[in-house]
Amino acid sequence: MLERILNGIDEAIHAVDHNGITIYYNRVASEHDGLTWEEVMGKHILQVFPSLTVQTSTLIKVLETKKAIYHQNQRYENKKGVMIETINTTVPLVVEGEVLGAVEIAKNYGKIKMLSNQLMELQTKMYKKDQSPPKQSPEVHFTLKDFITVDPFCSRIIAEASLFAASDLPVIIYGKTGTGKEILAQGIHAASLRSNAPFIVQNCGAIPETLLESLLFGTAKGSYTGAVEKAGLLELAHGGTLFLDELNSMPLELQTKLLRVLEDGTIRRVGGVTAHKVDVRIITALNENPEKCVMDSRLREDLYYRLSTCSITLPPLKEREGDIPILANYFLENSASKYTKGKKQLAESVFRIFQSYPWPGNVRELKNTIEYVLVKSQEDLITEKDLPSKFQTVDPESAPHESKSLRQVLLETEKSYIQHALSQTDGNVKRAAKLLQIPRQTLQYKMTRLIESQSH
């Protein structure tokens, strides 16, 4: 049964023991390499693949180092003379500290390239210069008005975003997953003079390095086997906006090339020698603190400072207490027609539970929760019994109705810490933020909220 399962997986699996002898080799691996099961099983990997060495074999390297190798590109000619490109993840098989072997899982990179090229061809057709420009980019579904909030800090963010939209400066948005970074990016584009031009989105963490480079910068004919002259996303976004999500996942070498685009507005296709001029606005997003990413060498410092001219920090939903009921009702009204004919309403106990819940998935998690209860609830009034199991441990009667006493304690504690940090640094906000180990923008936001709470 296990062998049938592993043979049915659409990825090549090759496992060796601690000596480098093959102990498992599935059907897809056989197809990649052009070898039969009998030619590989029970033989040393270097015997079967003479082109490999101790230094170049990832399986051997993992056996020696005991460290996994993730998402490594490999390009080789198999036994039948076919050029194969794969993305490999190789991990050691360790039991009680002893390496018993290693396993390599390889995805056919050629297929991914083919799908990527098809995607780029579709986007090229979508934005052909000889077509009349659309009233709005087809990838834009939101404006700044779609960022629903009554929170004072978030309201100031929307006002700032509106000002940023009027310029062509790059924008960097920091916020946890589900806080609304893409809504904000789309809103900035929709409010800008580029609103009739393309808005193209690329997640930097969802794609391998070499493929990401060709996607962004395009390819020159002959740069690799089967490569044709093709524009990348930076060229396709000419006149418009390119939104790069999870920028901290982009390899540092690519970050250098992106910095060059920001500085001189030129790109060179992969394998090409001709420079192309592009007019594109870059909006980037990170789900981790950018300053920490710089410290961890996952984000180039010069790129960060180039991008942070227009910087936005989105607070998590748990810090936007007033927005929770507003958003819950908004999602309830806008999603109800998909799942039910009647009008649904949330019970007061549900709102109290929502106010007490930490919302690690932020606004996206709240939206998913509302859609869940709309499907589950059979009554017009949605109560705590309709909520997912993760909410069942919260007692609505024990949850504070106004969250006043606990909130006051937290505010006073936070105020004490902030005041101490500011006194330690002679009022220097940047140094105080470093002392508190939070982003400078977060500290400014908390200081503003403390001032507002005192004024009430």
Side-chain angles (χ1 to χ4, degrees), residues 276-305:
H276 296 261
K277 201 78 177 171
V278 291
D279 170 26
V280 59
R281 183 184 200 169
I282 305 289
I283 299 180
T284 55
L286 300 93
N287 54 17
E288 295 181 69
N289 181 343
E291 292 175 357
K292 186 177 185 302
C293 291
V294 171
M295 288 175 62
D296 294 344
S297 299
R298 289 183 291 126
L299 179 64
R300 283 186 63 102
E301 187 174 16
D302 47 5
L303 177 61
Y304 169 58
Y305 288 121

Side-chain angles (χ1 to χ4, degrees), residues 254-274:
L254 267 187
Q255 291 183 27
T256 305
K257 293 185 177 182
L258 179 63
L259 179 62
R260 197 173 299 126
V261 175
L262 290 167
E263 289 175 343
D264 60 23
T266 60
I267 62 120
R268 187 175 285 111
R269 294 177 181 176
V270 175
V273 293
T274 307

Side-chain angles (χ1 to χ4, degrees), residues 60-76:
I60 298 294
K61 189 179 292 184
V62 163
L63 286 174
E64 291 180 347
T65 63
K66 298 185 183 181
K67 292 181 181 178
I69 300 172
Y70 295 101
H71 310 306
Q72 179 156 312
N73 301 109
Q74 188 175 38
R75 188 166 182 263
Y76 63 98

Side-chain angles (χ1 to χ4, degrees), residues 80-332:
K80 294 179 180 178
V82 178
M83 190 58 68
I84 303 293
E85 290 182 87
T86 57
I87 302 166
N88 303 346
T89 290
T90 315
V91 294
L93 304 173
V94 182
V95 178
E96 297 179 356
E98 184 182 354
V99 178
L100 299 183
V103 62
E104 185 162 87
I105 301 168
K107 189 78 175 175
N108 191 327
Y109 186 24
K111 285 184 181 178
I112 297 173
K113 271 192 175 179
M114 180 185 69
L115 292 171
S116 162
N117 288 335
Q118 288 174 349
L119 171 65
M120 289 169 67
E121 283 170 12
L122 286 171
Q123 288 175 319
T124 303
K125 289 175 183 176
M126 192 182 296
Y127 301 117
K128 269 186 178 176
K129 291 181 181 178
D130 58 354
Q131 292 178 345
S132 57
K135 291 182 179 179
Q136 191 180 44
S137 174
E139 290 196 41
V140 175
H141 310 289
F142 302 105
T143 67
L144 291 174
K145 291 180 181 178
D146 292 306
F147 194 102
I148 309 298
T149 184
V150 294
D151 182 81
F153 182 73
C154 284
S155 297
R156 282 195 292 276
I157 285 175
I158 300 305
E160 276 185 5
S162 184
L163 293 172
F164 294 162
S167 76
D168 276 336
L169 293 169
V171 179
I172 188 168
I173 305 169
Y174 161 55
K176 297 293 184 183
T177 299
T179 49
K181 298 186 291 295
E182 185 164 351
I183 292 177
L184 204 59
Q186 289 191 25
I188 290 170
H189 174 83
S192 73
L193 295 174
R194 298 172 177 264
S195 58
N196 290 338
F199 176 85
I200 296 180
V201 181
Q202 179 58 54
N203 187 311
C204 301
I207 203 158
E209 177 181 349
T210 53
L211 183 54
L212 181 60
E213 183 180 11
S214 60
L215 263 176
L216 292 177
F217 292 89
T219 56
K221 189 174 181 180
S223 56
Y224 58 84
T225 304
V228 295
E229 201 73 32
K230 193 178 294 292
L233 298 183
L234 282 160
E235 288 181 74
L236 292 176
H238 181 76
T241 304
L242 178 62
F243 175 51
L244 298 174
D245 201 4
E246 294 189 30
L247 178 69
N248 46 301
S249 298
M250 179 184 283
L252 293 175
E253 187 180 340
L254 267 187
Q255 291 183 27
T256 305
K257 293 185 177 182
L258 179 63
L259 179 62
R260 197 173 299 126
V261 175
L262 290 167
E263 289 175 343
D264 60 23
T266 60
I267 62 120
R268 187 175 285 111
R269 294 177 181 176
V270 175
V273 293
T274 307
H276 296 261
K277 201 78 177 171
V278 291
D279 170 26
V280 59
R281 183 184 200 169
I282 305 289
I283 299 180
T284 55
L286 300 93
N287 54 17
E288 295 181 69
N289 181 343
E291 292 175 357
K292 186 177 185 302
C293 291
V294 171
M295 288 175 62
D296 294 344
S297 299
R298 289 183 291 126
L299 179 64
R300 283 186 63 102
E301 187 174 16
D302 47 5
L303 177 61
Y304 169 58
Y305 288 121
R306 183 71 176 79
L307 292 168
S308 60
T309 308
C310 297
S311 180
I312 295 173
T313 298
L314 287 173
L317 182 58
K318 66 181 179 183
E319 292 183 16
R320 298 164 53 186
E321 290 179 3
D323 283 348
I324 294 172
I326 300 290
L327 287 164
N329 278 324
Y330 174 80
F331 293 137
L332 188 71

